[in-house]
Structure formats: C-alpha cells, structure tokens
Amino acid sequence: MVDAGTKDQKSLGLVLEEFLEDCETKRQKGHQAIMATGINRLDDALLGGLPAGYITIGARPSIGKSAVGAEIALRPARDRKDPTLFISLEMSFRQFALRFMLRGGKIEARDLNRLTYTDDQLKHMIKAASDHQEVPMDLCHQP
C-alpha cells in the first residue's frame, strides 16, 4: 500500500478535490487562473491563455520572442488595465518604440528609420502614443 498523504505524493481523488476547491475559491474572489493574451489564436492554442504571473518565452534568435512577448504584455495592460512588466535582454527602449509604432500597418519601418514618414503618419504615431499614456505597463531593458 502506498501512503498518499505526503507533500510529494497525493491520491488522485485528493488532487482533484484540492484543484476544485482552489478553482472555486479563486472564482468567488473574482481571480483568474490564467491570463488571456488578447491574441485570439494564441489564446485558443493555449486553452484560454497563459498562467497568471511571471512568463518566460524561449526560442532561437530572431524568431520574434520579444515582439510576441511585448504584445502579450501590452494587451492585458491596455484592454483590462492589468499592470504588466515587459523585460527584454535584447530589445532596447528605442527598438520597442519602433515596433510599437509599426503596429497597425500605418507606417513602414524604412520610412520611420529614414525619417521619411508623412505628416499624416506622424499624426497617427502621436495619437497612438497619446492613447497609451495611461496604460499600466512598464518596460525594463537589461542588456
């Protein structure tokens, strides 16, 4: 007979009971077990979202980890006012701002980098920056 009452070993019944109790306690308090990213296809693939809390994304270089991570951090901060912190070991503040301004397709990277954007594109960028002034998201660059 196996002792199923230790910290490292529990019976299936106990594990399921504790899980349901935890879910119901969190539900009654209005807490969520996961954080929807706001990226519908990603949320569907993740069965609803990411576990709430600290998230690390890993992959080979130049795959788009920082871009995806920034988007995942931005959407809950912008849409639900959930405070978020985006930490990048590679992406500088300037690179983050550049990628942010390229969201939505109103301006091309070459025009922004060459400073050949139009007055209308500048107005769009100013509005985008203004619309995000109160978003509870901090950026941290740790090269």
Side-chain angles (χ1 to χ4, degrees), residues 66-67 70 86 88-103 112-113 139 141 143:
S66 295
F86 176 74
S88 176
L89 304 177
E90 298 170 350
M91 186 184 287
S92 69
F93 294 131
R94 179 171 175 70
Q95 289 170 318
F96 183 90
L98 173 68
R99 286 181 187 250
F100 181 85
M101 291 302 170
L102 295 175
R103 293 172 75 249
L112 192 50
N113 283 328
L139 309 174
H141 175 58

Side-chain angles (χ1 to χ4, degrees), residues 80-140:
R80 296 189 308 264
K81 305 300 183 217
D82 291 342
T84 60
L85 173 64
F86 176 74
I87 301 171
S88 176
L89 304 177
E90 298 170 350
M91 186 184 287
S92 69
F93 294 131
R94 179 171 175 70
Q95 289 170 318
F96 183 90
L98 173 68
R99 286 181 187 250
F100 181 85
M101 291 302 170
L102 295 175
R103 293 172 75 249
K106 302 263 186 198
I107 187 168
E108 296 290 326
R110 100 179 137 260
D111 293 329
L112 192 50
N113 283 328
R114 293 178 182 167
L115 306 177
T116 57
Y117 49 83
T118 67
D119 288 343
D120 284 342
Q121 289 170 322
L122 176 60
K123 288 177 188 173
H124 171 75
M125 290 188 292
I126 291 170
K127 181 174 180 349
S130 175
D131 289 348
H132 288 81
Q133 287 299 313
E134 301 301 319
V135 171
M137 178 178 174
D138 286 344
L139 309 174
C140 180

Side-chain angles (χ1 to χ4, degrees), residues 21-33:
E21 286 176 6
D22 182 57
C23 287
E24 187 56 16
T25 299
K26 288 178 178 175
R27 185 177 75 99
Q28 289 179 5
K29 291 181 179 180
H31 296 163
Q32 293 183 1

